[in-house]
Each structure stands twice: as structure tokens, then as C-alpha cells.
Amino acid sequence: MALPSLDGHWHQNKRGDARIYLLDVHDKDQPDAGFIAQLLIEQVESSVPDGQGGPPLEAGLQLFYEVIWRHNARGPAAKGHFQASYRRGFGGEETVSLTGSRGAPGAVFLDPEPIRGLRIGTYLMNQVVTWALRWPEADVCPIRLNSNQGYEENRARRNRFYERFGIVFNYRDDTHSEGISQPMKVRELRQVNTWQQNIQERDVRDGLAMLRLENERLALERDGRSRALDHVRNELGRAHRHPLLWALLQMWQIYAPSRSQIFLALLAMGLIWWQFKS
């Protein structure tokens, strides 16, 4: 029996409803090269039914991420989560928060900084937007930008991050360090799929199989190097015990004629001997 959280009806590298899966992250400038980071993702959804078969009264999404491998990684593993929520009021009004639970305002952060700029945040936010589009007529809760959300040179990237998804801000100053998003409907949000250029979703079981094959390859390589090292040690021991004999044998192996040369020489000598004999 399949594991429900991992199965998700994978088909041709397309993720179905698998809750736990891997992300292979490649360099944006060299997407065809080997991946430079790998993340474990867990997607958790919740809902509160209305009891009458209609839309839920509340729904929530949490996307947990943990960096399990990163090229030249230093320090502890990075981890965090994105979250979103939906609420339907007694009057039928619908609201969606892209950054908080139960309609609460908030912002999204991707930590630590070394994994920023690889479209990981774009991937996670796109998952949030895709989930929110289930309620196209819902109002999007305002997103507030504060000046303490990142240093100065990072704010332009922060603002572009939101704006690519169709979110428009009213900024409070010329530096665009603070602001609040304009009212909008969920249907006005845009999905962003640029992450597909360098990020691939992968079944956890496929990732484990790949690691096993890589481990077997490294074990064979280690055994080969161990045998080569043993041979070098044996040769070094013979050289220490009988240095003159070992040197002569090495010179013979280097300068000794090949078998074909010896055969041709013997054949020539035989012909000469036959000629003189006759």
C-alpha cells in the first residue's frame, strides 16, 4: 500500500496531491548543470466545512520547507514556511490572506539569504496563489510592507516579488520602503511559472533511489582507490627492502622491448642463420 503523503499520483514528473516531496534547485544561469540545492517540502491544508455541502467556512494552507542539501553549505539547515488562509463570513463575503492565517495580514520571508535569488520564493508563493484561485471572487487581504523588511538594496527585489503576482502597492515614500497593497480580487492575481526554468519537483522515493545509486558509485570508487593505494604501499615496501633490484626491475619495465619487437628480432636472426646455413 502506497504512503498517502508521498504518493500523490505522480505522472511524468508532474506532482499530483503529494503532501511531501523534494525540490531540486539548479543555478538560474546554468539550469542544465547539476542541482545546487535540494529542499524537502511539506504541504498541509485544512478546512472547516459549513455543514451544508457548500464552500468551507475557513481553509488554510501551510507550505513548510527545509534545505536538506546545499552546495558549499555552511551553518545550520535553513527552514521556514509560507502560509495562506480563506474565510467566509456569515453574509457570504469571502477574504483570502496570501501571507497569514485566518485572514491575518503579514509578509513572506525566505531564509537564509544564500538560498534567495534562486526562484524558491517564487515557487512557494506561486503555490499559495494557485491555492487561493479556488475562490476567485474573494477579496485579497492587504499586504503591508515595512521598512524593516530587508535592507535597502533588497527592497526593490522584495517589491518586484509581490508585483509579479499582480499585487499593486500604494507606497508611502519615494524609496518604496513602506506601503500597503491596493484592494483586489483573487481572480486578478497572476501565476508565475518562471521557477520551472531551474526548479524541479521530485518524488521523495526517487530522490532516495538516486542517493542509493550515488552511494554505490562512491563505494566502488572508494574500493578502487583503496586497491590502488594498497598496490602503491606494496611497491614502496619492496623498494625499501631491495632498492637496487626494484630500480632495475622498473628500468626493465620501462625500457624492455615489446613482445612483437622480440619476435621480429628472433625471426630476423632465424632468417640470417638459415641463409648462412644454406
Side-chain angles (χ1 to χ4, degrees):
M1 181 176 179
L3 298 175
S5 293
L6 299 181
D7 188 37
H9 311 292
W10 287 84
H11 180 66
Q12 295 182 349
N13 293 327
K14 300 295 184 181
R15 183 176 61 84
D17 53 355
R19 286 183 50 193
I20 301 175
Y21 54 96
L22 294 172
L23 289 186
D24 291 345
V25 182
H26 300 251
D27 191 297
K28 290 194 302 183
D29 298 325
Q30 296 179 315
D32 296 329
F35 58 86
I36 59 175
Q38 194 171 59
L39 282 75
L40 187 63
I41 304 292
E42 182 173 4
Q43 182 170 318
V44 180
E45 295 188 38
S46 61
S47 65
V48 178
D50 68 347
Q52 300 178 359
L57 296 175
E58 294 183 4
L61 171 70
Q62 289 184 294
L63 284 170
F64 297 91
Y65 69 87
E66 182 171 347
V67 180
I68 58 176
W69 179 85
R70 180 167 56 86
H71 181 63
N72 291 332
R74 297 291 185 273
K79 59 182 67 176
H81 74 286
F82 283 27
Q83 60 182 346
S85 59
Y86 161 84
R87 297 189 74 182
R88 180 162 61 92
F90 293 109
E93 65 277 6
E94 298 177 302
T95 57
V96 165
S97 173
L98 301 175
T99 57
S101 61
R102 306 196 66 181
V108 295
F109 298 95
L110 187 65
D111 294 314
E113 188 168 342
I115 65 172
R116 297 175 188 169
L118 297 174
R119 300 193 177 106
I120 298 172
T122 299
Y123 169 85
L124 294 170
M125 191 63 179
N126 188 69
Q127 295 297 106
V128 168
V129 169
T130 301
W131 176 84
L133 286 171
R134 299 176 184 178
W135 303 280
E137 299 305 318
D139 294 313
V140 177
C141 293
I143 297 175
R144 299 182 183 276
L145 301 179
N146 298 318
S147 58
N148 60 355
Q149 295 171 347
Y151 43 86
E152 183 175 353
E153 53 267 31
N154 188 49
R155 289 172 190 157
R157 186 170 68 179
R158 175 203 63 181
N159 298 346
R160 287 196 304 270
F161 173 80
Y162 287 111
E163 292 168 351
R164 282 180 298 175
F165 292 95
I167 302 170
V168 180
F169 287 91
N170 292 324
Y171 294 105
R172 296 177 180 174
D173 52 28
D174 294 336
T175 62
H176 292 183
S177 61
E178 294 188 355
I180 185 169
S181 62
Q182 297 179 6
M184 66 182 304
K185 295 289 186 179
V186 168
R187 66 171 182 271
E188 300 175 73
L189 292 169
R190 293 195 300 263
Q191 292 175 291
V192 179
N193 294 315
T194 53
W195 61 268
Q196 296 176 352
Q197 299 173 15
N198 69 304
I199 294 178
Q200 179 185 6
E201 298 171 326
R202 182 190 292 272
D203 192 325
V204 172
R205 292 162 295 192
D206 291 342
L208 292 174
M210 181 188 69
L211 290 176
R212 185 180 67 249
L213 292 175
E214 178 67 8
N215 184 66
E216 292 175 354
R217 184 190 69 80
L218 291 174
L220 290 174
E221 183 177 321
R222 178 203 61 198
D223 293 342
R225 291 184 177 182
S226 179
R227 289 192 294 270
L229 184 59
D230 289 341
H231 175 73
V232 171
R233 285 174 178 156
N234 291 334
E235 285 296 310
L236 186 59
R238 284 195 289 268
H240 278 290
R241 291 191 299 270
H242 309 287
L244 182 58
L245 178 60
W246 184 86
L248 291 173
L249 289 174
Q250 296 304 308
M251 294 180 64
W252 169 257
Q253 292 177 2
I254 295 173
Y255 298 107
S258 64
R259 293 181 180 178
S260 59
Q261 291 175 324
I262 294 175
F263 174 78
L264 290 174
L266 291 174
L267 180 61
M269 292 174 62
L271 290 174
I272 294 173
W273 176 81
W274 178 262
Q275 184 178 5
F276 278 109
K277 181 180 179 181
S278 58

